[in-house]
Amino acid sequence: MMKMLSPLPYISDRPEHADIIARLPNKWTSWPQGRSSCNAVAREPEETPLTVIKHSIKGAKPSIKLSKKLSKKRSTKVPAKHELRWPKRPVVFISDPHADAHAFEASLIAAGVTKQMDSGLCHLKLTKKGRQSEIIIGGDCLDKGPSNLSLLRSVKHLYRLNARVTLLAGNHDLRLFMGLLALARKKDIGNQHFFVRMGKKVIPLFKEVFEQYLADKNWQRNIPDEDACRKALFPNEKWFEQFPYHAAGQLTTEGIEREVRKMHSKVKSFEKNCVAAGLSLQHIYAASLKCQKLFLHKKGEFHWFYRKMKLVEKRGSFLFLHAGLDDTMGELLLKSGTGYANKAFHRNLKHRDLFGFYYSSIANTFRTKYRDVDLPLTERGVKAIHKAGIRVVVQGHINQQEGQRIAIKKGLVHVEADITLDRHSRKNEGLKGFGMGATLIDKRNGIIGISCDYPTAKVLKPKELQLIDG
């Protein structure tokens, strides 16, 4: 019997790669069936013709494997319209790097698409696999981690290497954009809370910007006093009374109550968190104006970040996005496709009022967790999504501590691929150092989940995924 080639990516044995190789799994197993790797619906034997086996690799959990009998029986009955279409070229999906450039670059190396030519950041070179693959960044490049600006420069470095990069919108990325726009626009009930709504996680970015661009300059020139800055940055006292009426009819009662609760907390803590970081509101205001120039102006250093951003991307039967879908977005994708959705994303962001945009179906795509407060995804929406040729959603947004997870949510197969990369989140969750790993998707090997936090790579072969999808 011919020995199966390993689906694990090749990582060259360079000195710069030694620590990365030491922390990554060097063996693989069929996709495990434990709770950390599959949700209950994906594990349910009545719903999916899967059987549980124990893998021979020491320390691995029970895994999903097709019984030969069921595989043979079902493989001839899969309707052609339900057959999964795989991406034409291999896809490497890395999501939620959250301002940790070391984790991001280590994940590129772990996926076999780059190699490090020297110590430090932005010394990468594409491998042969890297030149052949598409690298999809699943959103949330900003907030939490040690350096937002370093992460952005690492992403920009990929573009300079002429890598095939698709950059998706994440909720943390758009929070900054909307906070900066809210500060630039005339205040109204719908937009005046968006700056403080960014919360404490954005403060490290403002500190970085202040230290790298303003600290050694006459930054206080034309900056108002502390009280005036507070008035410019915070919602006014009437906001809490008026917002529920403004949001009525667009948000659910639960959604309005949740938003008001969240803003009470953020208004109380925002200034305290600034002081804890060694920043006054004048510092924050000055850094915000600089961020407007860096991110919003055409000649700004990071203007490319939002300009290149997409809401969704479809490759074969796979839809890549940050969070999830709802009925309205499902019908839009069926009738108009992903190109239209991406154009609508940019036009709405540029021209629509911020309140209308942030609580719309478009923004729900990078915000939803399928909660009661989120826009609903029902059987009607899933039917539209399937008719649009989408069988699998590949997402970030929901971080996992033991590598990637397969979940059937609302009757739709999801690959949850946020594997907790940034050091800030990992410290809070008891994980060591920065994370690394990637989700690899190609028609020969299927879906491969690689994470430094799971002892083996997880492999879901094409036929196994086809049967899960049904």
Side-chain angles (χ1 to χ4, degrees):
M1 182 181 290
M2 185 179 292
K3 186 177 180 182
M4 181 179 176
L5 295 175
S6 172
L8 297 180
Y10 172 73
I11 305 174
S12 59
D13 190 19
R14 299 178 60 84
E16 295 86 355
H17 298 168
D19 290 342
I20 295 172
I21 292 172
R23 293 183 60 202
L24 289 172
N26 58 13
K27 295 180 180 180
W28 65 275
T29 184
S30 295
W31 202 277
Q33 201 190 26
R35 290 183 179 180
S36 65
S37 298
C38 290
N39 76 343
V41 182
R43 294 196 305 271
E44 180 59 50
E46 285 80 14
E47 294 292 329
T48 55
L50 305 172
T51 57
V52 182
I53 64 165
K54 290 192 175 180
H55 200 275
S56 58
I57 297 176
K58 185 178 180 182
K61 295 181 178 179
S63 57
I64 294 175
K65 189 174 182 180
L66 297 172
S67 74
K68 291 182 180 179
K69 185 177 180 181
L70 281 171
S71 176
K72 202 170 184 180
K73 183 177 179 182
R74 285 288 302 276
S75 63
T76 59
K77 293 186 178 182
V78 177
K81 66 179 181 179
H82 288 164
E83 286 184 3
L84 282 167
R85 292 185 298 110
W86 292 82
K88 291 181 179 179
R89 64 175 67 253
V91 171
V92 171
F93 186 80
I94 299 172
S95 192
D96 297 76
H98 279 302
D100 199 323
H102 288 92
F104 177 68
E105 293 197 359
S107 296
L108 292 169
I109 294 168
V113 293
T114 63
K115 55 184 176 181
Q116 191 169 348
M117 307 308 293
D118 202 349
S119 59
L121 296 171
C122 296
H123 292 293
L124 300 178
K125 182 178 180 180
L126 291 179
T127 62
K128 181 180 179 181
K129 179 180 174 65
R131 292 189 294 272
Q132 295 172 342
S133 301
E134 178 180 12
I135 300 167
I136 299 181
I137 302 171
D140 276 4
C141 289
L142 302 179
D143 290 352
K144 297 185 181 182
S147 176
N148 292 270
L149 303 183
S150 293
L151 188 281
L152 291 171
R153 289 163 186 152
S154 288
V155 174
K156 180 65 173 177
H157 181 60
L158 273 185
Y159 285 105
R160 286 198 298 267
L161 294 175
N162 293 318
R164 291 181 178 87
V165 179
T166 297
L167 177 63
L168 300 178
N171 57 310
H172 284 263
D173 308 322
L174 269 297
R175 272 187 208 164
L176 174 67
F177 192 83
M178 298 184 72
L180 297 178
L181 283 178
L183 189 61
R185 294 180 181 179
K186 184 179 179 180
K187 273 192 172 187
D188 59 41
I189 296 301
N191 71 19
Q192 62 182 270
H193 64 301
F194 278 118
F195 190 90
V196 172
R197 195 184 189 284
M198 291 187 287
K200 67 179 181 180
K201 293 173 185 174
V202 77
I203 293 172
L205 169 60
F206 290 140
K207 186 170 185 176
E208 278 187 85
V209 168
F210 183 85
E211 290 175 349
Q212 292 192 28
Y213 294 93
L214 299 175
D216 58 350
K217 295 180 173 61
N218 185 20
W219 65 271
Q220 288 178 300
R221 184 181 179 184
N222 298 325
I223 299 298
D225 63 26
E226 196 79 351
D227 287 338
C229 287
R230 186 179 294 104
K231 186 176 180 180
L233 300 176
F234 283 64
N236 61 39
E237 294 178 359
K238 294 182 179 180
W239 183 89
F240 291 96
E241 177 186 342
Q242 295 175 344
F243 180 79
Y245 296 102
H246 184 84
Q250 187 150 350
L251 298 184
T252 62
T253 302
E254 294 84 355
I256 293 172
E257 291 174 351
R258 181 175 181 271
E259 194 69 16
V260 171
R261 264 196 325 271
K262 181 181 288 188
M263 285 307 302
H264 271 299
S265 175
K266 291 192 175 187
V267 165
K268 288 180 181 178
S269 63
F270 188 81
E271 190 168 356
K272 292 178 182 177
N273 289 319
C274 292
V275 172
L279 300 174
S280 66
L281 292 181
Q282 284 184 299
H283 291 127
I284 294 293
Y285 187 79
S288 300
L289 297 182
K290 184 63 182 179
C291 280
Q292 289 178 348
K293 293 180 180 179
L294 291 170
F295 288 96
L296 305 185
H297 293 193
K298 287 185 178 180
K299 294 185 179 180
E301 182 180 346
F302 303 113
H303 179 257
W304 60 268
F305 181 61
Y306 291 105
R307 180 172 53 84
K308 289 183 177 292
M309 196 172 280
K310 294 184 176 182
L311 181 68
V312 292
E313 192 63 274
K314 183 172 178 282
R315 296 288 181 257
S317 300
F318 294 76
L319 186 72
F320 298 87
L321 45 67
H322 183 64
L325 296 167
D326 60 76
D327 288 352
T328 302
M329 182 55 61
E331 291 173 359
L332 184 149
L333 291 172
L334 172 60
K335 294 177 181 178
S336 305
T338 55
Y340 182 88
N342 287 324
K343 286 182 181 178
F345 164 66
H346 278 282
R347 291 186 182 186
N348 275 266
L349 189 57
K350 187 175 182 180
H351 300 296
R352 190 173 180 180
D353 69 285
L354 296 182
F355 173 85
F357 171 78
Y358 195 69
Y359 300 104
S360 70
S361 176
I362 289 176
N364 188 71
T365 306
F366 56 76
R367 295 176 58 222
T368 186
K369 291 183 179 178
Y370 300 116
R371 302 161 294 195
D372 291 340
V373 296
D374 297 316
L375 297 181
L377 177 63
T378 67
E379 184 179 351
R380 176 172 63 90
V382 172
K383 283 182 178 179
I385 292 163
H386 283 164
K387 284 183 180 179
I390 297 162
R391 309 302 302 184
V392 180
V393 170
V394 184
Q395 65 163 104
H397 195 46
I398 301 174
N399 72 300
Q400 306 297 327
Q401 296 184 358
E402 295 183 56
Q404 295 81 348
R405 184 171 179 261
I406 302 290
I408 298 178
K409 296 183 278 191
K410 308 295 183 178
L412 187 62
V413 178
H414 290 67
V415 180
E416 296 178 344
D418 174 359
I419 53 173
T420 316
L421 295 178
D422 72 280
R423 276 168 275 192
H424 177 86
S425 297
R426 293 175 67 82
K427 182 178 179 181
N428 288 342
E429 298 184 20
L431 300 171
K432 295 181 180 179
F434 58 79
M436 65 181 83
T439 306
L440 316 182
I441 299 175
D442 71 78
K443 60 184 176 183
R444 183 170 69 90
N445 293 311
I447 301 176
I448 306 170
I450 299 172
S451 169
C452 64
D453 299 314
Y454 198 80
T456 64
K458 306 174 184 180
V459 179
L460 191 67
K461 297 176 185 177
K463 286 185 178 180
E464 295 170 341
L465 180 58
Q466 178 73 66
L467 291 174
I468 290 177
D469 177 54

